[in-house]
Amino acid sequence: MTKRLILCDCEGSQKIDAQGLGAATGLSCSRVHSGLCTREIESAAKLIAEGDAVVACGQEQARFTELAEELGVDIPAFVDLRDRAGWTDDTANLQPKMAALAAEALLPAPAVKTLDVTSAGACLIVGKGDVAFAAAEQLCGVLAVTVLQTDDAAPTVSREYEVIRGALTGAKGALGRFHLSLDALQMIAPGGRGELSFTAPRDGGETECDLILDLSGGTALFPAPHKRDGYLRADPGNRGAVAEAIFNAGQYVGTFEKPVHLAFDELLCAHSRAGQTGCTRCLDVCPTSAIMPAGEHVEIDPYICAGCGACAALCPSGAITYDAPPVDNLIARMRVLADTYIAAGGTAPRLLIHDETNGAEMIRLAARFARGLPADVIPLEVPALSTVGHTEILAALVAGFVEVRILLSPRSERTPLEEQIALAAALGAGERAELLDVDTPDALCDGLFGNKPAPLRVEPVLTMGSRRQITRTAAKALNGVQEAPIPLPDGAPYGAVLVDTDACTLCLSCVSLCPSGALMDNEDMPQLRFQEDACLQCGVCASACPEKAITLAPQMDLSDAALGQRVLNEEEPFCCIECSAAFGVKSTVEKIVEKLAGKHSMFADSDAGKLIQMCDNCRIKAQYHSTSGPMAMGERPRVRTTDDYFSKRKDH
């Protein structure tokens, strides 16, 4: 059944062409209402009750959702055409932009995986007595409260909550599973008359709780504390902040659904091989320390992960992928926006990527109180800005956009975004991708209504496959034919391996450890081969090379040669002096013979020196038949019999 777009011009404050929208999107459009949420609410109820409705209003989404629940029908989809398109000072044709936004709203939302987090309400309040005790008095009725007192004030006589003293030496975990370590732990000694006293201090205390209310005013217990579920922190001198934190703490009882933001395939991870550390990009960028080394790969704690997505954007192998939603859904949305905009008669669209909180609110305020968004700027909302990497930027440009701007929010991880934009620029984006760092709606409008980029002379390209495949396809479209590799910034996940052939002994330790199979050997002769397209620039090969003969060269070779194998180093094989079978590198064997034969005690005679020049099979045979082997036991003694004993007895 064709979905119906329910339209409203919000009391005549915007112009909407219902017929044009229907033709551009394939939707069945209602007439254009003026007061759909007020005086024409009955018309809205009738249209929603018919099913398959898409309401073109973002402001009153809660009202229409409640209306659908009262009618007992499916909740309609929503698309905000007013704040994102209709309310603007731009006099250009808005029809292509509205059509693009409506078409994107029709895409099915992928299911989000979740896990259950249970909190029984065990709360640890950290702070000085006056503030912490007051908070405990308010929360002890709904939570099981323990106060970790950080000063020497007299403890309260109330026994509705516990009071302890001590020094926190460690904290880990998240909502429902915090684990803390304490030294100099003292507990209340409840007996006796007068002021309550504490037990003698003891080190090595351990405790668990479901949530932590930190009113100490000191350094946060965790990195990126605002991203740690169940960890509430407030300045003890700010009464409003303390009251808000106390209120929020009281809500953390029950079972909650936490999205699983990432998918991880440990077999693709290039973190380490045989104790040699390789890629650490995700470890370096994770703001919450949710990623930790685990042998040859890393492991991700889904309870700590806040879903910023920076690790997925940086992962060179695709071991970590963002899954809420996946990257192919984001690229599909970009493609639908660009295709629909161009098909509806628009030219040179610009993409504005923003988050669900600060960015969305900034756009709404700009539409209501400032100039709104230009007609050629199409907003795209994402759950986390750091999920946008060089792959998404390049994919947007080859989908039809002429510019990509990322609207920063106050808590955005700026550094990884800057690095990804720099990498995209080197790969062909040039100056068509940039961060937009503004703090007012007027500044947002000024930044977007300024100079527009020149048209991009690239035919739209369909991008498919992994992030690396999408990047390569898009880079080829943007750069055209390139005779030489494109140099990339340090740390880029694409590049070549350079080998010093004078130092390389072809030991092939790099081949055995390469996690992506970019380095290969040749079974028929001593040879080191390399396939550039597969190289992750993880650095395991350089770390493992005993001769330090390997260096990394970040670059992108867009020619077909990068998809095939090339020889980095090769030598003549050494042939066994007994059977003539090739078994090693000639120069290496000759160097060993030169250093050991006749000079080392184990190879002092000529026959022992020849062992170095034999293959495995011949060496074993020679050792077996040797009469001077170091492990030889001499001639086997004769077996003694009864006759031997009798012959020595004098009575016989």
Side-chain angles (χ1 to χ4, degrees), residues 499 504 507-515 519-520 528 540-542 544-546 550:
V499 175
C504 176
C507 68
L508 302 181
S509 59
C510 55
V511 173
S512 62
L513 298 181
C514 180
L519 290 169
M520 295 156 281
L528 177 60
V540 169
C541 56
C545 180
I550 294 178

Side-chain angles (χ1 to χ4, degrees), residues 354-372:
H354 64 90
D355 63 6
E356 300 171 335
T357 53
N358 181 80
E361 181 65 15
M362 184 77 76
I363 290 174
R364 286 191 289 268
L365 294 174
R368 182 174 289 276
F369 299 109
R371 291 187 285 170

Side-chain angles (χ1 to χ4, degrees), residues 281 419 421-427 486-494 537 553-555:
R281 292 175 175 88
E419 292 175 351
I421 287 178
L423 179 55
L427 287 167
I486 301 171
L488 300 179
D490 291 339
Y494 314 97
Q537 296 283 286
Q555 64 182 38

Side-chain angles (χ1 to χ4, degrees), residues 403-416:
E403 182 184 64
V404 177
R405 289 195 173 187
I406 301 175
L407 178 57
L408 287 176
S409 66
R411 290 183 172 178
S412 298
E413 285 77 24
R414 186 181 186 116
T415 300

Side-chain angles (χ1 to χ4, degrees), residues 274-315:
Q276 299 293 330
T277 301
C279 177
T280 60
R281 292 175 175 88
C282 59
L283 296 170
D284 296 337
V285 79
C286 182
T288 61
S289 298
I291 306 177
M292 299 295 290
E296 293 193 345
H297 55 83
V298 298
E299 62 181 8
I300 304 171
D301 190 334
Y303 295 95
I304 297 178
C305 175
C308 72
C311 56
L314 294 176
C315 182

Side-chain angles (χ1 to χ4, degrees), residues 213-247:
L213 176 57
D214 187 353
L215 303 178
S216 64
T219 304
L221 299 180
F222 304 99
H226 59 283
K227 293 175 180 270
R228 184 70 58 126
D229 291 338
Y231 179 64
L232 306 173
R233 184 167 174 258
D235 180 358
N238 187 332
R239 293 185 178 181
V242 171
E244 181 181 2
I246 292 173
F247 174 80

